[in-house]
Amino acid sequence: MATMNKPTYAAITTHSPEKPVLVFVSSRRQTRLTAQDLIAFAAADENPRRWLHMEEHELDLVLSKINDQSLKHTLPFGIALHHAGLTEDDKKIVEELFEKVKIQILISTATLAWGVNLPAHTVIIKGTQLYNSAAGKFVELGMLDVMQIFGRAGRPQFDTSGEAIIITSYDELPRYLALLNTQLPIESQLNKRLPDHLNAEIVLGTVTNVREAVTWLGYTYLYRRMGRNPLVYGLTYEERETDPNLTRRCRDLVVSAATTLDKSHMINFDENGGNFTPTDLGRVASHYYINHETVDTFNSTLEGRELSKTMSEPEILAMAAQAQEFENVMLREEELEELDKLQNETCAMPVKGGVENKHGKVNILLQAYLSHAAIDGFSLVSDSAYVVQNISRLLRGLFEITLKKGWATVSLRLLTLCKMIDRRLWSFQHPLRQFPNVTNEILYKLEQKNCDIDKLTDMEAGEIGILVNHPRLGSQIQRIVRQFPKLEIGATVHPLTRTVLRIDLEIFANFEWDDRIHGSVDPWWIWIEDGENEVIYHSEYLILNKKQIGDVFKVSFTIPITEPLPPQYFIHAVSDRWLGAECVEPISFKHLILPHIHPPHTELLDLEPLPLQALKNPEYEKLYNFSHFNPIQTQIFHTLYYTNNNVLLGAPTGSGKTITAEIAMFKLFRDTPHLKVVYIGPLKALVRERLNDWSVRFGKRLGKKVVELTGDYTPNVQALISSDIVLTTPEKWDGISRNWQHRSYVKAVGLVVIDEIHLLGDERGPILEVIVSRMRYIAQTTENNIRIIGLSTALANARDLGDWLGIDQVGLFNFRPSVRPVPLEAHIQGYPGNHYCPRMATMNKPTYAAITTHSPEKPVLVFVSSRRQTRLTAQDLIAFAAADENPRRWLHMEEHELDLVLSKINDQSLKHTLPFGIALHHAGLTEDDKKIVEELFEKVKIQILISTATLAWGVNLPAYLVVIKGTEYFEASSRKYVDFPITDVLQMMGRAGRPQYDHNGGKAVILVHEPKKYFYKKFLYEPFPVESSLLKVLHDHINAEIVAGTIASKQDAIEFLTWTYFCRRLLMNPSYYGLEDASAASVNAFLSSKIDETLDALEKGKCISLGSDPEIESLTMGRILSYYYLHYTTALLFASSINASNDIPSLLDVLTKTAEYSELPVRHNEDRLNESLANDVKIKVDKRTLDSPHTKANLLLQAHFSRMELPISDYVTDTRSVLDQAVRILQAMVDVAADSGWLFTALNTMRLLQMVMQGTWNDAPNLSTLPLSEQALDLLYGNGIKSISELIQIEPNRIKSVLNRILPENRLKELVNIVSILPNINVMWLLNHKVEPSSNVVVKVNLERHSRNPEKGVHAPRFPKFKDEGWWIVLGNAASGDLLALRRITFNHKKSSTNLSFEAPVIPGKYEMTLYFMSDSYIGLDQEHLIQFEVVETKPRVSKETQKLFPSQK
C-alpha cells in the first residue's frame, strides 16, 4: 500500500492538478496514511497547500467544528478523510467542503461510492485488496464495486469528461483490464443458500408444500439464469431440452433443500405428501437469520438434553463460537501474541481451545469486547466487529430455542449473555454502569463495598452519600436507583382441575420512567419454572410503557400440575434489556387443596327413538318437521313432560337442547297455563333468534303472547303482565326481578329456562347466579313452585350445579362431549409469535389450506376476534384463491343474482368480498346487510362466512367446517389481548356439522397461540369445570338485595351467599377462591370477611348505612345504583364529582368517567384517531389519556353532539354503545343531584340527556334537530320561526306554504308528520297562595297535550334505539339554587296530572318558586313557570272551652 502512494500523487498532479479528486482506499487506517504521504510529497515539491482553496479565517472556523484529530491535521493541506469512524457532523462538514471545492482531495473508504453522491473529476482506486471478515482474509475488489467507484468520475454540471485510475498489483492488472473491456453476466448465488431462504418462506407461510415451493422458485433470478445458462448450474443442454420449464430441476432443488432442513429439525417434511410444517427451531433460525449449518452445530451440542439443561456460561460461549458464521475467521500467526495477551488480561471466563483455535479466537474477541479492551491489530479490530455483530443474534436465537425447550437455567444464562453484549458489560459489574451519568469513581466504590441495587433501594440519600464518600451525590445516585427497572409480582393460584392450575399475576412496575433512559418501551420476560426439575411450564413476553408505571396490570395463564404436588414453583421476571433487573416470586403449594374428583357422565342409553305422538297433543306435534326425538331428547322426555323436577342438561352444541326446553314449556302450557315462561339467553342475538322462532311457533300457531325484554327493546308493564313467554337477557331480568315484591308478573313465573348456563363462569356469570338464587328464593317465599331448566355444554362438575339448582338424582343429565348427533372432528394447530397482529397474518394461509383440504365445496365459518380481522382475513383468502387462478371458487350464484344482491348492500368491504363468495358478519353491519349475508350463506350462494365470535351465540348458521382463527381478543380494561372463554371456543366449534346435511360429521380447525395448545387440547375434549365469578361483583348484588329488602343484616347477607353457586363451589374447590382450609369454621370466617369488606365499601360509597346494631339501612345512592343497574364504584365517583355548581362540560366528564365505560374497547392505534378527534372537539380532553376508554367515550359523545364524521366504522358501533349506556347513567345523575337539592346541576344533567338524544349541543339552533336543509332553516328564520316551540304552534298548511318551494313533497310530508308528534303540552298548576310556615305545600300540575301521541317513540334520528317520551317536573328556587321537588312522568295521554309537595319556609313573607317542565328527549321544548305564594303566620285557634274560660280571647 505504501508503494502505491507515490503513483497516486503522480496521478493527481498529472491528471487533475486543480480539479477535485476522490481517492478510494481499503480501510480507515489507509485514509490517514495515504493523506500523510500526499502531504509529504506536496511539501517536497514546496507547495504543501496546493489543494486548499479557502481563506485562513474560513479554515479556522471549520477546524473549530471538527472533532477528528486526523482530519484536523489534513484539512489545512486541502485533503479530507471520509470513513465510518467519523461523527455525522464531521462527515457533513467534509462533504460540504468537497462539494464546494474548498478542498481538492477526498480520501475515502469504498462505502462512499455507494452512499453520498459526491462526484469528482478524477477518481483513483488505490489498491484493490479489501479485508473480508466473513472470509477471514484479504479479497479482491469486486467488479461491481469498481464500476460503482468509476461512476463517480466526472461532474455532470462542471465537467465534460472524467478520469478514473485504478492502481493495483501486476498480477491483478490483466484481470481488471479484462473485466473492464468485457461485460460479464451476473449469475445467481441463491442455490448456495437455498435451504435457508426456503425455510424463511415456509416460516412466513407463503410456501407450505413442494408444489408451492417450485412456484416460488419460478419467480427467482436463479430460475431465469438456469434457463439461459444451464451449464453453470449443473444442467446439461439435454436436460434443458427434456425439461423446458425446469420443473423437474426446480423440484429436485426444493426436495434437496427441504431434506436438508428436515435433517436439521427446522421443518417437518412429509416426503409422500410433499407438505412442509415449520418447527420452532426453523422459526427461530428464520427470525434471527441463522443458517442451517449453524443449527446443525447447535443441535449436535444440545442433543445431550440433561447435560444441556445445566450448561455454564463458558460452555455456552464455546458452543456459540462454533457457529458456521465464524468458520471463515482466520487464525494468523502474527495475531497469536496479541490474542494471548487479550486472553490473559481481559477474559473473565475460561476459553475452550485457547488462542490456537479459531473458535477460541472468537471467544477471546467477544470477551475482550465486553472488557472494553484496546485492540491494536487491524485485522483483529475488523474480526472483533464481525464477531460482536453476529454473536448477539446467535445468542438471542439460542435463548429462544432453550426457552421453547423449557430449560430454565440455560435460558436465564443465555438472556444474561445477550444483555451483556448489548450493554457491553459483565454481569458481575455493578448494574448502575448501565446509566451514562454515573462516574467510574462512584461505580468502583459501589463494587468495592459490594452494595447491590437492593441495598441501595433501601438506603436514604444521606446514607448513600456517606457510602461513596460524596454526600452531595447521595440524592443523585438515589434518583438513578429509583430509575432502575424493578417489578413487584403477586401471584394467586386457582386449581381448575386436579391437573391444571390457573395462575393470576398482579405486576407492579415500581420505578421512575425517564424517556431518555428507558425509551418508549421496556420489554420483560416472565416465566414459571419448577426449580427441582429445571423446567419452564409457561413464558410470556411483556412490554411495559410509561403509562403502566405505578399501575397494577394482570397476567393470567394455565400450567399443568402433577400429584404428588411439588413443594413450590417459581415466577421469574427478567428484563430483556437491563442487566440485574429481575425478580423471583415463589409459589408455595403447601396449603393448596385440589378440587374433588368429578362424578362420571350420564350414559346415553340405547333407547328406541320416541315419536312426536308422545306429546299427546296434535297442536304441539304440528310444530315440528321431524317424526322422532333424538336419543338425548328421548332419554330425558319423561322427566321434562311428566315431572316438576328442575332439570340440568349438559350436552354438546347441536344436540337439540332447545327442543328439550320446549318440551318443558309444553308441560307448563298443559298444566298451569296461567303461569309465565321466562327464557334467559346470554346474548341479545340469541334472544332475537328465539324471538324469531317462537313468535311463529308459539305465537302464531299456539296463540301465546311472546314478549322480548332486552337492551334494544323494553315493553311496557301491561305487555309483561299479559305475556305468556318472556325472552330476556340476564341483565334485564336481574333489573326487573330486583323489585319482585312489587311486580306481580315476576311472581307469576312458573318456568325459567336458562340457556348456556355454563356461562356462570364467565364475566356475566354472577348475574345468572343471582337470578337463579333469587328465583329459588322467590319460589320458597311465595310457595309458588318455579321450575328451572338449565341448558349447558357438557360439564365437569355438573353435580355441584345440580345441587345448587335443587336437583336430586332425577333431573341431572350430563352427557359426554362426544355424544353429538353429528360427529365432530377437531384439529388444533399452534402458531408462535409474541405479537398478535403478525400472528394473525400467519394464520391466513393455514386457514386457506384448511378450507381447500377439508371443505373445498361445503360451507365454511371462519371465526375471528374483531371486525378488522374479518376484512383482513377475507382479503388474504381472495389473494390466495387468485394465486391458484380460481378467485371465484366460493361463489355459487349467477352474475345477475350477484348484481341484485350488491345493489342492496351498504357496507363497502362486503361489496368487495361478496363477488368472491366470501361474506363478512359483525356488529358494524346494518341489520339489512346482516339478513342478506345470513340468507346467502344459509342457501349456500356463498361458501365462506367470516364472522366475529358473537355469531356463534346468535344466529344459528351451522357449517360443515368451522375455522377458529385465533382464540384471543382485545380487552379494553386491561389494554391487552386475552383469551376467549373456553365456553366461547366450544360454542364456535359447535357450529361445525349441519344435522340435516352432514351425516358423517363436521370438522373444526382451531388455530391457537403455540403456548396455549396444551390447554385447548385438554379442555376441548374434556368437559370444563364451571366456577363462580360472584366475588368480583359481590358489591353490586349485595346492594341490590339490601334495596329489595332481602338483606337487612349481616347475617342475612351471609345467608344470601349460601343460596349461591359460589358457596357450593367454595366447599368443593376452596383453593380456587383463596381459602386454605375447608373446615366449617374457616368457611364461615371467610364468608364473614367477604361480607364485611363488601358492606364497608358500600358504606364508603354512601350506598348503605351501618349502625351499631345489626340493621343495614339502604340509602338513596344505593337505591339509585340498584334501580339504574350501575356499578358500585360509580357511587364513589358521583359522591366526589357531582356538586351544586356542575356545568355541562363537568357533567360530561363525570358521565364518561363512570365504570360503565371502562369496557369500551380502545383498539390498536386508536389513540391516534382519538388524538385527531381531540383536536376538533369543543371541550378539550387530557391528551395523556387518549388510550383510555373513558376519554374515548368523551370524544365520541362530543363528536355525536357536533355531528362529526367518524374516522372508522368501528367508532360508529362504539358510539351506539356509548349512547345506550348514557341514558340510564344520566337519569341516575339527575336523581343524585335532586336528592342533594342541587337545582342547576339537575337541570344541566337533563339538558345533557337531551343532547344525547338529539345529537346536538344545547346552545345550537334547536330547529337543526329536524330534517331541514340550511336553505329551509333560513326560510323559517325569515318568516319569524326561530325555534321548535314556535314551529309546533303553527298550522301544518302554513308550514307547507312556507317550505313547499324548496322541499319536495315527500320531505315536506315527513317534516309535517314529525312536527305533529312533537309534544305541544299546556302546563297548568294550582296551589294555595297563602300557606303556613313549615307546612306541607302541595302543587297540583295539570298537563294537556295538543299534539298527536307518539306511537313510535320520540323523534331522535341520531339516537340508535327506540325510546318513549319522558318528562321531569321540577320545582326549584332559582335564586338560591335549591331543588324542592322532582317528579318523573311518562305522559302518553291527552291529559294527565300529578302532585309535587315541599315544605314551606319558616319565615313569613312572599316567595317565588319556578316550576320547570323538562323533556328527557327534546331540546327547545322545556317550559318554566313562575309560582308565587305567601307564608302567613296565622293566630292560634282557640277552642270553645277556652273561650268560655277566657271570654276576652278572640
Side-chain angles (χ1 to χ4, degrees):
M1 284 293 157
T3 59
M4 293 181 182
N5 288 335
K6 190 69 175 177
T8 302
Y9 177 75
I12 294 170
T13 54
T14 304
H15 297 282
S16 188
E18 295 180 355
K19 292 184 178 180
V21 180
L22 262 174
V23 180
F24 286 97
V25 294
S26 61
S27 66
R28 303 178 198 175
R29 183 168 176 267
Q30 278 298 318
T31 61
R32 190 172 66 253
L33 296 176
T34 304
Q36 290 170 1
D37 277 5
L38 291 179
I39 292 168
F41 295 144
D45 286 348
E46 298 180 353
N47 192 2
R49 294 204 172 193
R50 64 193 302 172
W51 300 307
L52 182 67
H53 305 296
M54 59 178 144
E55 299 296 327
E56 199 68 34
H57 67 277
E58 285 183 90
L59 177 63
D60 292 340
L61 182 62
V62 168
L63 292 176
S64 67
K65 299 177 182 177
I66 294 295
N67 297 298
D68 187 80
Q69 293 303 315
S70 298
L71 197 54
K72 278 189 175 182
H73 171 68
T74 62
L75 276 178
F77 301 97
I79 300 175
L81 314 180
H82 195 291
H83 52 73
L86 297 182
T87 63
E88 287 300 317
D89 291 337
D90 283 1
K91 285 180 186 176
K92 285 180 182 176
I93 293 170
V94 165
E95 291 161 11
E96 187 177 345
L97 291 173
F98 187 71
E99 193 172 13
K100 294 179 178 179
V101 201
K102 296 287 186 179
I103 53 170
Q104 191 176 332
I105 297 176
L106 180 59
I107 305 174
S108 169
T109 51
T111 51
L112 184 67
W114 297 97
V116 185
N117 186 14
L118 284 177
H121 176 73
T122 302
V123 169
I124 301 171
I125 300 176
K126 196 202 98 173
T128 55
Q129 281 199 329
L130 299 172
Y131 183 77
N132 187 322
S133 296
K137 62 183 180 179
F138 285 93
V139 295
E140 287 296 324
L141 195 64
M143 198 56 213
L144 288 177
D145 287 321
V146 171
M147 299 302 294
Q148 182 70 19
I149 292 170
F150 278 8
R152 296 299 186 198
R155 299 168 299 165
Q157 65 272 43
F158 301 110
D159 300 325
T160 56
S161 65
E163 294 186 61
I165 299 167
I166 186 167
I167 302 173
T168 184
S169 65
Y170 285 111
D171 296 338
E172 294 297 328
L173 189 59
R175 175 174 175 267
Y176 284 106
L177 285 173
L179 289 173
L180 286 169
N181 292 317
T182 307
Q183 193 171 11
L184 295 178
I186 300 172
E187 297 297 346
S188 171
Q189 305 297 314
L190 178 65
N191 52 339
K192 295 179 181 178
R193 302 243 57 90
L194 185 59
D196 297 321
H197 294 292
L198 177 61
N199 177 59
E201 297 302 322
I202 294 170
V203 169
L204 188 62
T206 54
V207 171
T208 59
N209 51 49
V210 172
R211 180 179 58 82
E212 291 176 353
V214 170
T215 304
W216 163 74
L217 207 56
Y219 290 105
T220 63
Y221 184 60
L222 170 65
Y223 177 79
R224 301 293 171 201
R225 289 307 300 162
M226 282 196 301
R228 296 292 180 87
N229 196 1
L231 291 176
V232 173
Y233 300 94
L235 275 166
T236 64
Y237 281 104
E238 290 76 12
E239 289 176 308
R240 179 73 178 82
E241 290 297 322
T242 56
D243 186 18
N245 294 326
L246 300 176
T247 305
R248 284 199 302 274
R249 180 62 173 174
C250 288
R251 181 181 175 82
D252 291 344
L253 287 172
V254 167
V255 170
S256 174
T259 304
T260 301
L261 293 173
D262 186 58
K263 288 178 181 176
S264 300
H265 308 300
M266 294 169 70
I267 65 168
N268 291 322
F269 177 34
D270 175 14
E271 293 190 37
N272 295 326
N275 295 318
F276 307 141
T277 307
T279 65
D280 287 336
L281 201 55
R283 293 186 186 103
V284 172
S286 173
H287 182 73
Y288 290 102
Y289 225 76
I290 303 173
N291 59 49
H292 67 280
E293 293 100 333
T294 298
V295 172
D296 284 336
T297 303
F298 291 165
N299 284 341
S300 62
T301 308
L302 296 174
E303 273 178 4
R305 186 174 182 275
E306 293 304 318
L307 173 67
S308 305
K309 286 168 70 175
T310 55
M311 286 176 73
S312 64
E313 286 90 344
E315 290 172 325
I316 293 170
L317 285 183
M319 178 178 66
Q322 293 174 23
Q324 196 274 340
E325 279 80 355
F326 304 127
E327 279 302 307
N328 293 323
V329 174
M330 302 297 292
L331 189 64
R332 302 174 191 84
E333 192 172 341
E334 65 270 17
E335 298 172 345
L336 293 179
E337 185 179 346
E338 187 173 2
L339 284 172
D340 191 50
K341 180 183 176 184
L342 290 173
Q343 181 182 9
N344 294 330
E345 294 179 0
T346 65
C347 291
M349 299 181 191
V351 178
K352 186 178 179 180
V355 296
E356 298 180 357
N357 181 295
K358 61 182 173 184
H359 305 309
K361 175 182 174 179
V362 170
N363 200 329
I364 291 168
L365 290 178
L366 174 63
Q367 295 195 52
Y369 169 80
L370 292 176
S371 299
H372 294 264
I375 301 175
D376 296 328
F378 164 70
S379 59
L380 280 180
V381 171
S382 182
D383 285 342
S384 177
Y386 176 78
V387 166
V388 171
Q389 179 185 358
N390 284 280
I391 206 162
S392 179
R393 62 183 174 83
L394 291 174
L395 289 176
R396 280 281 174 183
L398 271 170
F399 163 67
E400 291 209 13
I401 290 169
T402 55
L403 189 69
K404 291 177 187 299
K405 287 179 178 290
W407 299 348
T409 303
V410 181
S411 296
L412 181 60
R413 288 172 179 165
L414 275 162
L415 182 56
T416 302
L417 284 170
C418 294
K419 293 186 288 185
M420 284 163 55
I421 296 169
D422 294 342
R423 293 285 180 176
R424 202 174 180 183
L425 199 68
W426 288 102
S427 59
F428 54 75
Q429 291 179 289
H430 203 281
L432 291 190
R433 287 186 178 273
Q434 296 167 96
F435 291 87
N437 51 349
V438 184
T439 64
N440 285 330
E441 179 189 358
I442 298 297
L443 292 167
Y444 177 76
K445 289 177 180 176
L446 291 174
E447 287 171 350
Q448 285 294 106
K449 297 184 179 180
N450 197 25
C451 189
D452 59 21
I453 284 289
D454 292 333
K455 290 179 183 176
L456 288 171
T457 303
D458 296 333
M459 295 170 71
E460 298 294 331
E463 294 175 301
I464 297 173
I466 294 169
L467 180 73
V468 298
N469 297 326
H470 208 314
R472 283 187 174 182
L473 289 180
S475 57
Q476 181 185 344
I477 296 171
Q478 187 184 51
R479 187 177 71 253
I480 293 170
V481 170
R482 286 174 180 166
Q483 291 173 344
F484 189 79
K486 182 181 179 183
L487 295 188
E488 294 176 2
I489 297 179
T492 52
V493 179
H494 304 279
L496 299 180
T497 67
R498 296 187 73 85
T499 57
V500 177
L501 296 180
R502 190 185 83 217
I503 297 182
D504 294 337
L505 301 184
E506 289 192 344
I507 302 171
F508 177 68
N510 187 16
F511 62 97
E512 296 176 3
W513 191 282
D514 187 327
D515 291 333
R516 294 170 300 174
I517 295 170
H518 302 97
S520 58
V521 295
D522 187 25
W524 285 72
W525 288 96
I526 293 184
W527 63 71
I528 180 164
E529 63 184 65
D530 180 351
E532 287 187 350
N533 299 317
E534 290 286 330
V535 175
I536 294 175
Y537 289 115
H538 181 84
S539 62
E540 294 261 347
Y541 184 68
L542 294 182
I543 297 180
L544 295 181
N545 57 47
K546 189 175 183 178
K547 292 176 182 176
Q548 291 172 309
I549 301 301
D551 289 342
V552 174
F553 57 101
K554 298 179 180 180
V555 176
S556 295
F557 49 83
T558 57
I559 61 168
I561 194 166
T562 57
E563 295 185 70
L565 291 173
Q568 60 185 10
Y569 283 171
F570 295 95
I571 304 289
H572 214 127
V574 191
S575 172
D576 189 61
R577 291 181 182 170
W578 292 82
L579 277 167
E582 58 182 270
C583 68
V584 179
E585 179 71 21
I587 302 176
S588 173
F589 297 139
K590 184 177 180 181
H591 299 291
L592 185 69
I593 304 171
L594 294 179
H596 290 241
I597 296 174
H598 304 302
H601 293 278
T602 305
E603 291 297 328
L604 184 64
L605 304 178
D606 187 14
L607 302 175
E608 189 73 26
L610 205 60
L612 281 175
Q613 287 73 21
L615 291 169
K616 298 181 180 179
N617 187 318
E619 293 297 318
Y620 298 163
E621 294 164 24
K622 290 177 185 176
L623 300 178
Y624 301 105
N625 57 5
F626 55 83
S627 60
H628 289 76
F629 292 112
N630 71 25
I632 291 176
Q633 295 157 358
T634 298
Q635 187 164 334
I636 68 173
F637 180 85
H638 182 272
T639 306
L640 290 169
Y641 204 56
Y642 291 106
T643 74
N644 286 318
N645 291 7
N646 293 345
V647 174
L648 173 64
L649 171 60
T653 305
S655 302
K657 294 193 291 289
T658 303
I659 291 175
T660 62
E662 292 171 358
I663 295 170
M665 293 165 68
F666 292 147
K667 181 188 184 305
L668 182 88
F669 298 156
R670 182 192 66 198
D671 298 344
T672 51
H674 62 284
L675 296 180
K676 302 180 190 302
V677 176
V678 175
Y679 169 88
I680 301 173
L683 291 174
K684 287 184 286 187
L686 197 57
V687 173
R688 187 63 53 83
E689 183 190 2
R690 287 294 102 241
L691 179 70
N692 295 337
D693 182 15
W694 287 354
S695 294
V696 175
R697 189 174 299 177
F698 296 139
K700 290 183 179 178
R701 297 189 184 178
L702 293 185
K704 301 293 181 182
K705 187 171 182 183
V706 183
V707 170
E708 178 189 3
L709 178 62
T710 63
D712 289 339
Y713 181 72
T714 303
N716 58 41
V717 175
Q718 195 56 45
L720 286 169
I721 292 172
S722 61
S723 65
D724 297 302
I725 303 170
V726 178
L727 308 176
T728 182
T729 54
E731 290 83 357
K732 275 292 181 179
W733 190 250
D734 184 24
I736 289 286
S737 63
R738 282 181 175 182
N739 295 318
W740 62 270
Q741 296 97 330
H742 311 293
R743 288 173 173 161
S744 59
Y745 53 88
V746 176
K747 290 187 271 189
V749 172
L751 173 65
V752 178
V753 177
I754 304 175
D755 208 350
E756 315 296 351
I757 198 172
H758 55 269
L759 292 180
L760 274 172
D762 197 24
E763 59 183 17
R764 300 167 71 199
I767 302 170
L768 277 177
E769 191 169 338
V770 168
I771 289 171
V772 174
S773 302
R774 186 179 297 137
M775 297 310 290
R776 293 190 63 212
Y777 180 79
I778 292 171
Q780 187 189 56
T781 305
T782 59
E783 296 183 357
N784 175 29
N785 181 40
I786 299 177
R787 191 182 191 190
I788 297 173
I789 306 292
L791 307 178
S792 166
T793 60
L795 298 166
N797 53 343
R799 183 70 267 166
D800 298 333
L801 207 54
D803 289 343
W804 173 58
L805 292 175
I807 299 171
D808 294 325
Q809 292 304 316
V810 179
L812 178 60
F813 301 93
N814 184 38
F815 297 97
R816 296 180 183 279
S818 56
V819 176
R820 201 172 183 266
V822 179
L824 177 64
E825 178 185 313
H827 303 265
I828 303 174
Q829 300 171 12
Y831 292 86
N834 295 318
H835 303 290
Y836 175 81
C837 291
R839 190 166 66 249
M840 290 300 104
T842 61
M843 290 180 179
N844 288 333
K845 189 70 179 283
T847 300
Y848 177 75
I851 294 168
T852 53
T853 303
H854 298 297
S855 184
E857 296 178 355
K858 293 182 179 181
V860 180
L861 258 174
V862 180
F863 287 107
V864 295
S865 64
S866 66
R867 303 170 202 174
R868 181 170 178 268
Q869 278 298 323
T870 62
R871 296 192 297 271
L872 295 177
T873 306
Q875 289 166 7
D876 273 10
L877 290 181
I878 292 167
F880 294 139
D884 282 350
E885 299 180 355
N886 193 3
R888 295 203 169 194
R889 64 192 302 169
W890 300 308
L891 182 69
H892 306 298
M893 58 178 145
E894 299 297 326
E895 200 68 34
H896 67 276
E897 282 185 272
L898 176 63
D899 293 339
L900 181 62
V901 168
L902 292 177
S903 67
K904 299 176 183 177
I905 295 292
N906 297 301
D907 186 81
Q908 292 303 313
S909 297
L910 197 52
K911 278 188 175 181
H912 170 68
T913 62
L914 276 177
F916 301 96
I918 299 175
L920 315 178
H921 195 290
H922 52 73
L925 298 182
T926 63
E927 287 301 318
D928 292 337
D929 282 2
K930 285 181 188 175
K931 286 179 182 175
I932 292 171
V933 164
E934 290 161 13
E935 186 178 342
L936 290 173
F937 187 71
E938 195 171 11
K939 294 180 178 178
V940 201
K941 297 286 186 181
I942 53 169
Q943 192 178 329
I944 297 178
L945 179 58
I946 305 174
S947 168
T948 50
T950 51
L951 183 69
W953 297 101
V955 185
N956 186 13
L957 286 175
Y960 174 72
L961 170 67
V962 166
V963 179
I964 303 173
K965 199 194 111 181
T967 56
E968 298 150 308
Y969 69 99
F970 187 78
E971 186 180 64
S973 56
S974 59
R975 300 179 191 175
K976 64 187 177 81
Y977 289 94
V978 298
D979 291 324
F980 281 122
I982 191 74
T983 48
D984 282 19
V985 178
L986 291 168
Q987 186 71 17
M988 293 179 218
M989 289 174 62
R991 295 300 187 196
R994 302 165 297 165
Q996 61 272 46
Y997 303 110
D998 306 320
H999 302 296
N1000 295 326
K1003 294 188 177 182
V1005 176
I1006 304 100
L1007 312 180
V1008 303
H1009 191 195
E1010 184 71 37
K1012 292 158 187 168
K1013 191 173 176 180
Y1014 166 81
F1015 176 80
Y1016 285 101
K1017 270 188 174 179
K1018 182 169 182 63
F1019 287 116
L1020 291 184
Y1021 302 111
E1022 291 183 20
F1024 191 76
V1026 176
E1027 300 292 350
S1028 171
S1029 301
L1030 181 63
L1031 279 183
K1032 298 176 183 176
V1033 289
L1034 188 59
H1035 303 78
D1036 298 327
H1037 297 293
I1038 290 290
N1039 177 63
E1041 299 304 325
I1042 292 171
V1043 171
T1046 308
I1047 295 176
S1049 66
K1050 179 182 173 181
Q1051 186 58 39
D1052 290 344
I1054 293 174
E1055 287 179 8
F1056 166 78
L1057 283 184
T1058 62
W1059 282 88
T1060 63
Y1061 181 63
F1062 157 70
C1063 197
R1064 300 290 193 288
R1065 287 304 296 163
L1066 179 66
L1067 299 174
M1068 302 302 292
N1069 191 4
S1071 289
Y1072 184 90
Y1073 302 95
L1075 183 61
E1076 294 183 351
D1077 178 13
S1079 65
S1082 296
V1083 170
N1084 288 335
F1086 180 82
L1087 294 178
S1088 183
S1089 67
K1090 292 299 177 186
I1091 291 297
D1092 286 340
E1093 291 170 14
T1094 303
L1095 295 178
D1096 288 344
L1098 291 174
E1099 188 179 34
K1100 286 179 183 175
K1102 300 181 180 178
C1103 299
I1104 63 172
S1105 172
L1106 295 173
S1108 56
D1109 54 23
E1111 291 296 317
I1112 302 173
E1113 182 184 353
S1114 174
L1115 301 180
T1116 303
M1117 185 71 80
R1119 291 192 287 273
I1120 290 171
L1121 293 188
S1122 176
Y1123 183 81
Y1124 292 106
Y1125 215 80
L1126 301 179
H1127 195 268
Y1128 86 98
T1129 56
T1130 300
L1132 296 170
L1133 177 71
F1134 286 171
S1136 62
S1137 303
I1138 298 179
N1139 53 55
S1141 57
N1142 286 118
D1143 55 7
I1144 284 179
S1146 66
L1147 289 169
L1148 178 63
D1149 186 58
V1150 174
L1151 166 65
T1152 54
K1153 281 183 177 175
T1154 56
E1156 281 61 35
Y1157 288 124
S1158 61
E1159 297 297 321
L1160 183 69
V1162 182
R1163 303 170 190 88
H1164 185 59
N1165 286 335
E1166 281 191 355
D1167 52 337
R1168 299 176 187 174
L1169 301 177
N1170 292 343
E1171 184 175 15
S1172 176
L1173 281 178
N1175 293 329
D1176 299 333
V1177 294
K1178 188 173 181 180
I1179 303 168
K1180 298 306 174 186
V1181 299
D1182 185 353
K1183 289 196 174 182
R1184 294 170 298 179
T1185 61
L1186 290 173
D1187 59 349
S1188 162
H1190 303 287
T1191 301
K1192 180 179 175 179
N1194 190 315
L1195 293 171
L1196 289 179
L1197 281 173
Q1198 290 197 62
H1200 173 67
F1201 302 150
S1202 301
R1203 303 189 176 185
M1204 294 164 60
E1205 185 175 348
L1206 295 171
I1208 55 175
S1209 60
D1210 286 343
Y1211 273 36
V1212 176
T1213 312
D1214 291 339
T1215 301
R1216 289 181 200 153
S1217 172
V1218 169
L1219 295 174
D1220 185 27
Q1221 301 268 33
V1223 175
R1224 62 191 172 92
I1225 300 171
L1226 286 170
Q1227 289 174 344
M1229 289 168 64
V1230 169
D1231 289 356
V1232 170
D1235 183 61
S1236 299
W1238 296 327
L1239 175 64
F1240 299 119
T1241 296
L1243 295 177
N1244 283 331
T1245 309
M1246 296 171 190
R1247 293 179 186 120
L1248 183 56
L1249 179 54
Q1250 295 170 0
M1251 291 160 54
V1252 167
M1253 294 301 301
Q1254 294 301 327
T1256 187
W1257 293 95
N1258 67 317
D1259 54 2
N1262 52 53
L1263 282 174
S1264 64
T1265 60
L1266 299 175
L1268 294 167
S1269 63
E1270 290 292 330
Q1271 193 178 1
L1273 286 172
D1274 292 339
L1275 201 57
L1276 287 175
Y1277 294 154
N1279 281 269
I1281 305 168
K1282 297 182 178 178
S1283 68
I1284 287 182
S1285 58
E1286 293 173 355
L1287 184 65
I1288 61 176
Q1289 305 296 334
I1290 298 172
E1291 291 294 324
N1293 289 334
R1294 191 190 163 198
I1295 296 174
K1296 290 180 180 178
S1297 65
V1298 171
L1299 298 175
N1300 61 5
R1301 288 176 295 162
I1302 58 171
L1303 287 182
E1305 182 65 29
N1306 61 335
R1307 291 277 303 281
L1308 198 57
K1309 186 176 179 181
E1310 178 192 2
L1311 175 66
V1312 170
N1313 185 54
I1314 291 169
V1315 172
S1316 69
I1317 65 166
L1318 292 177
N1320 183 3
I1321 296 172
N1322 187 29
V1323 180
M1324 296 163 287
W1325 50 271
L1326 297 170
L1327 91 160
N1328 187 355
H1329 287 280
K1330 291 189 177 183
V1331 298
E1332 297 180 5
S1334 301
S1335 63
N1336 187 48
V1337 183
V1338 177
V1339 180
K1340 184 174 183 181
V1341 181
N1342 295 315
L1343 306 172
E1344 185 175 356
R1345 182 187 290 273
H1346 298 295
S1347 54
R1348 284 196 299 123
N1349 284 334
E1351 297 173 358
K1352 296 182 180 179
V1354 299
H1355 170 70
R1358 304 190 75 82
F1359 189 77
K1361 291 187 177 180
F1362 171 91
K1363 184 180 178 304
D1364 281 322
E1365 185 184 292
W1367 298 86
W1368 284 287
I1369 302 175
V1370 183
L1371 189 64
N1373 186 334
S1376 64
D1378 292 331
L1379 189 149
L1380 304 176
L1382 179 143
R1383 181 63 57 88
R1384 177 170 168 77
I1385 63 166
T1386 303
F1387 179 36
N1388 292 325
H1389 308 289
K1390 281 294 180 184
K1391 292 184 179 181
S1392 182
S1393 64
T1394 189
N1395 292 334
L1396 296 176
S1397 61
F1398 66 98
E1399 186 178 335
V1402 178
I1403 302 171
K1406 292 184 178 180
Y1407 290 89
E1408 287 187 353
M1409 301 292 174
T1410 306
L1411 182 71
Y1412 299 89
F1413 186 60
M1414 304 290 293
S1415 171
D1416 72 349
S1417 304
Y1418 294 106
I1419 296 176
L1421 295 179
D1422 303 332
Q1423 300 181 38
E1424 295 183 17
H1425 300 274
L1426 193 64
I1427 294 179
Q1428 297 177 331
F1429 63 94
E1430 184 178 2
V1431 176
V1432 180
E1433 188 168 1
T1434 57
K1435 293 181 180 179
R1437 294 181 180 178
V1438 182
S1439 65
K1440 292 181 180 180
E1441 289 79 4
T1442 307
Q1443 287 180 357
K1444 290 178 182 178
L1445 294 171
F1446 307 99
S1448 61
Q1449 291 189 11
K1450 299 291 182 183

